[in-house]
Amino acid sequence: MDLFEQEGNGAALESLPPPPPVPPDVVPIKEESDAKKIVRYPMARRGVGTKGQKVTILTNHFKVSVGSTDGHFYHYSVSLSYEDGRPVDGKGVGRKVIDRVHETYKNDLDGKNFAYDGEKSLFTIGPLPNNKLEFTVVLEDVAPTRNNGNASPDGLDSPNGRERKRLRRPYHSKTFKVEISYAAKIPMQAIQNALRGQESENSQEALRVLDIILRQHAAKQGCLLVRQSFFQDNQNNFTDIGGGVLGCRGFHSSFRATQGGLSLNIDVSTTMIIQPGPVVDFLLANQNARDPYSLDWNKAKRVLKNLRIKVSPSNQEYKITGLSEQLCKDQLYGFQILFLSLLVLNEAKNMKNENGEAETLEITIYDYFVNHRNIQLRYSADLPCINVGKPKRPTYIPIELCSLVSLQRYTKALSTFQRASLVEKSRQKPQERMNVLSNVLRSSNYGAEPMLKSCGVNINSNFTQVDGRILPAPRLRVGNGEDFFPRNGRWNFNNKKLVEPSRIERWAVVNFSAPRCDPNNIARDLIRCGEMKGIRIDPPFDIFNEMNQNRRLSPVVRVEKMFEQIQSKLPGAPQFLLCLLPDRKNSDLYGPWKRKNLSEYGIVTQCMAPARVNDQYLTNLLLKINAKLGGLNSMLTIEQTPSIPMISKVPTIILGMDVSHGSPGQSDVPSIAAVVSSRQWPLISRYRASVRTQSPKLEMIDSLFKPVSDKVDEGIMRESLLDFYTSSGKRKPDQIIIFRDGVSESQFNQVLNKELDQVIEACKFLDENWNPKFVVIVAQKNHHTKFFQQGSPDNVLPGTVIDNKVCHPKNNDFYLCAHAGMIGTTRPTHYHVLLDQVGFSADDLQELVHSLSYVYQRSTTAISVVAPICYAHLAASQLGQFMKFEDASETSSSHGGVTAPGAISVPQLPRLKDNVSSSMFFC
């Protein structure tokens, strides 16, 4: 009997007798396995699809020809140091230094052009004269642009230049030592090999060199570089999204090896930057404050740290290291006091105190600037100063003399409203995007780039044409046996009933939102709309309004108090609770409320914010409620027939996997891994979710298989496989299809080996004779390939699939636009089929992926990525709210203690109650 049957029958395996003891004179021999571990690589394409209506599509890839393929790129490592041997660590200095080397020693370098990555790598076409070269260069004005803390700002700390030496100021110029050493040789032929599908380390490096040339070209134009995206300092590209943050529009540019040859992929790109200009203006916008005197300076200190400013009147640039402890009018000069005193009073040189020591005159920052520099300060007196020195040797500047430099990235998480504003202001219709991209290619003037010219690179200015196909929408089934075809990726439930409506008997309404709404009206309208869709809803047992005195309490306590009310009145646990929240987005009650219901009581709950409630809103709400309670809203007709190719005849489980991480800068927030799995085969519309925390920023899921003893596995896969077994008539899945989201091409091998190995081990742990077949597909949304209809201003039609020309030269990948892009330009999903042991044809696999975009129970539209992946996002996000609540609670400190030097213990998520753990609670 395998572990499936033990779990299914509840039978306990009798413990085996212990092995006989090893005699004292016998040394056990360690078994040596000759079998090498299998290493899997992404599979090659077996063929292309043929189904669907053929259509010609344009894409934002521009064909590239490379004239020279006989030569070599030479890779050199670069080492930069100051005169005294200290390594140069300041960003931005490297490019200036290497430019100066190129300028000064052109003849010593045989006139070679460089491609420099800004850090430690430099490339040339053909070799430099020697394998190791050393140079010394001098740069002017290095210190003021990158203050290293040993200095005070030019002209700000001393009334005249004569005292600079006494103040130990650095010189205006700095000397650098540069060492360039040969590292490797990369044949240009490797690019042609990559285009033939013969990928190697050399081909990846050769393409990287071409991308570095693009970066260098943008850097010389003064752009902000964010990987392969470039942003110019142009006000026309900025859009205010609130909070002192601007959306900055730029462009992405990178070389890609494709079936159709080498191409340049150019796309519009957006990043967030700090609002340039006066520091005070930024702080007012950031904190939404009325005036500078109501600012929270602790918050200001955090947000300003490490930002760069220009100081008036000297126009020099510095990095902010902090704020003064005292206000400008009270803050005294620190280590500079003696020198300033001597300078301010001519007779001070001869002043002595009783002990014969030189006396010093204490002077405030404000007095010095107003009275000795004659600089008018309107509002700085009662505000802290900006510190651009070191903590122990501060250099203070009145805040109104400081302006934030442009193009400084804002890397913190955006608020809901900032995100909505960014999306609204940065979207572009297809035709507008095409015009912008054509202009970008023209203005980039890549034809004049010396390194690209040396490689013989020529870029075609026309959008590449590709052959697309439009797959027909799958037939859907709703209530009363009615079938229909969605039109343009959309449908509705007008005059239709749900295919499997649930029955709601014991339920109640919980109102945290009073007096903004009438919960009785909402309950009445919900019952009426439910009846129209086939859901029978009894009147609610009661309506629980939050008591006024509880509204000022913490979210956790408010939820506790509400449950005390519920328990005092309800005769038993309700089947369902409808919760009215006060805020439409990001209510701080959401996490504690969900946790209480799902983890402590096992109650299905639906939250809503009662603003603009109408029948359409309530119908959408009922779709979510029905799915959570075990019903189905619609399904594929071929699920019920059942006639899904390769799936309906062989027990098959479909998995969606995703890992979500904390916001940028939150290095100690655990990542959350979610795996959703299909149940009740042959259905592919019903799912459950398992969610775990793991180490911060860890992308690979490490809890798929987690044996804690010889008989106990606490991993995610065990849960999913056992649920499939019990919900699918005690059948084990013979086929396991994995959809993985959120990984880059460089991580494909880890998905295929580390993660898939865990899944296989979990299967073997349950039954060592069980050998299911696997399909592994990665879905990517974070790419820059876009498609456009030829001769039409509209987006490509839903169901558009492309598996040629711009796809990988060898590997099995395709692009699919399953959804109707209503705003902006449609972003296709890029699917990479890494492994297929089942043997799908290209058509069958593409149709399966397309169909899985139509089984999302929360909406009446096809979605842009398969439903299992969307559900994994939702599950990770919802249980992530538990973590937010955990962090905010008083008990969080007991979870986050350090367990080893540098290692943070990861708090575990609370387990969901059994009666909701296999539900679609995340819907």
Side-chain angles (χ1 to χ4, degrees):
M1 188 195 298
D2 62 33
L3 282 178
F4 273 111
E5 290 165 336
Q6 293 170 39
E7 294 284 343
N9 301 328
L13 190 71
E14 288 185 21
S15 56
L16 296 168
V22 179
D25 57 337
V26 174
V27 178
I29 299 170
K30 188 175 179 181
E31 181 186 5
E32 289 187 14
S33 173
D34 291 332
K36 285 187 177 175
K37 188 177 183 311
I38 298 169
V39 178
R40 305 178 194 91
Y41 296 99
M43 67 177 286
R45 179 180 281 100
R46 292 175 183 151
V48 294
T50 56
K51 286 187 180 176
Q53 177 194 333
K54 290 182 171 52
V55 61
T56 300
I57 299 287
L58 297 177
T59 179
N60 59 338
H61 284 241
F62 300 88
K63 192 160 179 54
V64 176
S65 59
V66 183
S68 164
T69 56
D70 298 333
H72 288 79
F73 290 121
Y74 279 73
H75 178 193
Y76 295 87
S77 61
V78 176
S79 170
L80 304 179
S81 59
Y82 294 110
E83 222 175 349
D84 59 5
R86 285 180 302 122
V88 174
D89 51 5
K91 278 192 177 180
V93 180
R95 288 193 188 277
K96 291 179 185 174
V97 172
I98 293 299
D99 283 350
R100 181 56 57 89
V101 167
H102 190 257
E103 221 172 84
T104 313
Y105 297 98
K106 198 161 193 171
N107 294 337
D108 301 77
L109 298 164
D110 282 359
K112 295 269 183 216
N113 288 311
F114 292 163
Y116 177 52
D117 71 352
E119 293 179 16
K120 294 185 184 301
S121 290
L122 180 148
F123 299 87
T124 59
I125 298 170
L128 293 173
N130 295 304
N131 281 351
K132 188 165 186 178
L133 296 162
E134 292 182 2
F135 303 105
T136 302
V137 291
V138 177
L139 282 192
E140 292 76 30
D141 287 334
V142 171
T145 56
R146 288 285 183 274
N147 186 26
N148 61 14
N150 296 325
S152 303
D154 181 36
L156 292 177
D157 59 345
S158 61
N160 67 49
R162 288 192 310 252
E163 295 301 319
R164 284 179 185 147
K165 207 165 185 180
R166 297 178 68 179
L167 289 171
R168 297 199 295 158
R169 279 186 43 76
Y171 297 111
H172 268 295
S173 58
K174 261 215 162 74
T175 302
F176 295 88
K177 289 179 179 175
V178 182
E179 203 175 273
I180 298 175
S181 313
Y182 171 77
K185 192 163 72 165
I186 305 154
M188 289 189 193
Q189 184 63 39
I191 296 172
Q192 297 302 323
N193 295 345
L195 299 176
R196 288 195 290 269
Q198 300 164 8
E199 269 199 300
S200 65
E201 213 169 296
N202 273 339
S203 59
Q204 289 168 1
E205 275 294 292
L207 289 172
R208 182 174 155 242
V209 174
L210 294 180
D211 281 348
I212 286 169
I213 296 170
L214 297 181
R215 281 174 60 83
Q216 178 173 274
H217 186 66
K220 286 184 174 171
Q221 295 173 344
C223 292
L224 164 67
L225 312 183
V226 183
R227 292 178 293 279
Q228 286 300 130
S229 292
F230 315 129
F231 304 91
Q232 292 178 325
D233 188 5
N234 182 340
Q235 295 282 339
N236 296 332
N237 297 335
F238 300 164
T239 178
D240 189 351
I241 62 170
V245 182
L246 306 181
C248 177
R249 183 178 290 172
F251 67 96
H252 167 92
S253 181
S254 67
F255 288 97
R256 309 279 301 174
T258 69
Q259 283 178 46
L262 189 64
S263 71
L264 180 69
N265 177 206
I266 297 185
D267 192 22
V268 174
S269 187
T270 304
T271 192
M272 277 64 68
I273 61 169
I274 296 284
Q275 173 186 308
V279 169
V280 166
D281 290 357
F282 163 69
L283 292 176
L284 291 175
N286 184 248
Q287 297 187 22
N288 196 21
R290 291 185 316 281
D291 55 61
Y293 310 107
S294 54
L295 288 167
D296 176 339
W297 290 102
N298 284 326
K299 191 175 176 184
K301 187 176 180 178
R302 286 196 300 273
V303 79
L304 290 176
K305 191 168 173 62
N306 293 328
L307 292 181
R308 299 193 317 279
I309 53 169
K310 272 197 172 170
V311 174
S312 175
S314 67
N315 214 30
Q316 299 293 355
E317 195 178 307
Y318 305 95
K319 185 186 279 187
I320 298 175
T321 55
L323 299 175
S324 62
E325 294 294 323
Q326 294 174 293
L327 303 179
C328 186
K329 65 182 181 185
D330 302 322
Q331 183 66 53
L332 299 172
Y333 266 91
F335 71 98
Q336 303 142 350
I337 293 171
L338 172 63
F339 303 118
L340 285 166
S341 304
L342 292 172
L343 292 164
V344 171
L345 297 173
N346 291 327
E347 67 274 18
K349 288 182 183 177
N350 304 314
M351 286 176 63
K352 306 273 172 124
N353 64 14
E354 295 170 357
N355 301 323
E357 296 167 341
E359 271 198 28
T360 62
L361 171 70
E362 292 194 336
I363 184 171
T364 65
I365 305 290
Y366 182 81
D367 285 343
Y368 168 64
F369 278 90
V370 172
N371 298 325
H372 299 290
R373 294 294 307 285
N374 296 319
I375 294 173
Q376 285 303 308
L377 298 177
R378 290 177 297 120
Y379 55 79
S380 292
D382 295 306
L383 303 177
C385 300
I386 298 288
N387 181 10
V388 295
K390 284 193 170 179
K392 290 184 180 174
R393 297 181 63 190
T395 300
Y396 296 126
I397 309 167
I399 198 163
E400 70 188 84
L401 300 182
C402 304
S403 286
L404 289 161
V405 172
S406 193
L407 294 183
Q408 298 191 74
R409 284 185 76 200
Y410 180 82
T411 54
K412 295 178 176 60
L414 295 181
S415 69
T416 306
F417 302 106
Q418 285 174 322
R419 188 172 295 282
S421 176
L422 181 68
V423 169
E424 185 185 339
K425 292 177 178 178
S426 60
R427 63 190 179 209
Q428 291 172 310
K429 286 285 182 191
Q431 201 62 50
E432 183 191 351
R433 187 175 285 247
M434 287 183 78
N435 293 338
V436 167
L437 295 180
S438 293
N439 290 336
V440 162
L441 182 58
R442 190 165 48 249
S443 63
S444 293
N445 197 18
Y446 287 137
E449 216 298 321
M451 284 286 284
L452 291 180
K453 275 167 98 174
S454 304
C455 301
V457 165
N458 185 42
I459 301 166
N460 191 311
S461 59
N462 297 319
F463 286 74
T464 298
Q465 273 193 15
V466 296
D467 299 323
R469 291 172 290 114
I470 301 169
L471 301 179
R475 187 194 294 259
L476 297 184
R477 176 157 296 181
V478 289
N480 299 330
E482 182 187 346
D483 288 357
F484 67 94
F485 285 105
R487 295 182 59 186
N488 197 32
R490 307 175 78 80
W491 64 97
N492 61 53
F493 278 102
N494 295 344
N495 305 316
K496 294 184 179 72
K497 291 201 167 15
L498 307 184
V499 68
E500 286 184 22
S502 48
R503 173 93 169 84
I504 304 176
E505 296 169 318
R506 303 180 318 282
W507 72 291
V509 181
V510 170
N511 182 20
F512 287 104
S513 187
R516 286 177 55 199
C517 65
D518 183 349
N520 291 291
N521 284 347
I522 288 175
R524 186 189 64 237
D525 290 344
L526 193 72
I527 292 168
R528 177 177 54 79
C529 286
E531 192 177 347
M532 290 161 62
K533 302 300 159 219
I535 302 176
R536 284 183 54 200
I537 308 174
D538 290 351
F541 184 87
D542 206 341
I543 290 171
F544 297 95
N545 291 302
E546 185 178 31
M547 296 175 187
N548 286 337
Q549 66 264 32
N550 292 344
R551 287 198 188 132
R552 293 183 181 276
L553 301 172
S554 73
V556 178
V557 177
R558 288 174 72 181
V559 168
E560 291 283 355
K561 295 282 187 191
M562 182 60 82
F563 261 92
E564 286 171 15
Q565 274 182 261
I566 295 168
Q567 285 173 307
S568 67
K569 288 194 177 179
L570 288 187
Q575 176 191 6
F576 167 69
L577 287 175
L578 180 67
C579 177
L580 311 183
L581 293 174
D583 304 309
R584 187 163 157 264
K585 294 279 186 187
N586 292 343
S587 171
D588 53 6
L589 288 161
Y590 182 87
W593 175 256
K594 286 285 183 183
R595 175 175 178 152
K596 195 81 174 168
N597 279 273
L598 297 173
S599 294
E600 294 186 31
Y601 291 99
I603 299 169
V604 171
T605 177
Q606 177 62 51
C607 294
M608 64 177 283
R612 298 196 301 277
V613 175
N614 54 28
D615 282 10
Q616 179 65 57
Y617 180 97
L618 291 172
T619 300
N620 289 341
L621 203 70
L622 282 163
L623 296 182
K624 297 169 75 173
I625 293 167
N626 188 50
K628 288 176 179 180
L629 289 169
L632 270 182
N633 304 324
S634 61
M635 64 196 300
L636 304 172
T637 303
I638 52 174
E639 283 183 85
Q640 210 163 36
T641 323
S643 55
I644 306 171
M646 313 295 286
I647 286 178
S648 294
K649 291 181 180 169
V650 180
T652 304
I653 186 171
I654 297 175
L655 305 173
M657 298 183 181
D658 184 40
V659 178
S660 68
H661 306 289
S663 305
Q666 292 182 304
S667 58
D668 57 344
V669 173
S671 294
I672 298 178
V675 176
V676 304
S677 53
S678 61
R679 56 200 312 266
Q680 295 180 10
W681 175 83
L683 293 185
I684 60 170
S685 288
R686 269 210 177 95
Y687 293 85
R688 71 179 303 280
S690 295
V691 186
R692 300 280 195 281
T693 50
Q694 58 186 38
S695 299
K697 309 299 180 195
L698 178 65
E699 185 52 59
M700 291 299 116
I701 302 175
D702 65 358
S703 52
L704 295 169
F705 176 58
K706 215 166 188 177
V708 291
S709 73
D710 289 347
K711 296 176 188 173
V712 180
D713 165 22
E714 291 184 350
I716 291 176
M717 282 308 304
R718 178 188 177 89
E719 277 181 31
S720 302
L721 294 169
L722 289 174
D723 176 80
F724 181 91
Y725 181 75
T726 52
S727 69
S728 305
K730 295 198 173 178
R731 292 184 182 89
K732 298 173 199 167
D734 291 327
Q735 297 175 164
I736 298 178
I737 300 175
I738 298 169
F739 286 95
R740 180 66 161 92
D741 188 37
V743 292
S744 62
E745 289 177 44
S746 63
Q747 296 167 315
F748 285 178
N749 287 343
Q750 290 182 69
V751 171
L752 267 180
N753 293 286
K754 290 187 177 177
E755 287 188 346
L756 184 56
D757 276 352
Q758 286 186 70
V759 177
I760 293 168
E761 286 181 275
C763 294
K764 294 290 186 191
F765 196 87
L766 285 166
D767 176 1
E768 61 186 29
N769 298 314
W770 178 34
N771 294 298
K773 292 178 179 176
F774 290 94
V775 177
V776 180
I777 302 172
V778 167
Q780 288 181 334
K781 292 277 286 178
N782 195 17
H783 60 83
H784 288 278
T785 296
K786 300 288 189 297
F787 297 110
F788 307 91
Q789 284 198 64
Q790 193 169 29
S792 167
D794 298 328
N795 270 310
V796 294
L797 294 172
T800 299
V801 63
I802 287 101
D803 59 3
N804 62 83
K805 259 197 182 161
V806 290
C807 292
H808 195 278
K810 182 184 76 167
N811 295 352
N812 190 357
D813 66 329
F814 62 92
Y815 292 91
L816 175 64
C817 302
H819 64 301
M822 306 306 289
I823 54 173
T825 305
T826 298
R827 179 184 297 204
T829 299
H830 192 182
Y831 291 100
H832 302 260
V833 185
L834 305 187
L835 179 70
D836 176 13
Q837 296 175 339
V838 171
F840 278 96
S841 68
D843 281 324
D844 284 346
L845 193 58
Q846 288 168 13
E847 284 203 288
L848 172 65
V849 170
H850 187 222
S851 296
L852 284 169
S853 302
Y854 280 82
V855 300
Y856 189 59
Q857 297 298 307
R858 281 166 52 113
S859 73
T860 53
T861 60
I863 53 175
S864 63
V865 68
V866 289
I869 279 179
C870 273
Y871 289 146
H873 280 306
L874 290 172
S877 172
Q878 189 165 127
L879 268 76
Q881 298 285 337
F882 289 12
M883 298 300 298
K884 271 189 192 171
F885 146 59
E886 191 94 75
D887 291 342
S889 74
E890 293 173 353
T891 60
S892 64
S893 58
S894 64
H895 292 275
V898 175
T899 54
I904 300 171
S905 71
V906 178
Q908 296 304 303
L909 288 167
R911 287 300 177 100
L912 305 188
K913 286 286 185 185
D914 289 346
N915 57 324
V916 290
S917 64
S918 289
S919 73
M920 291 178 72
F921 66 86
F922 43 81
C923 236

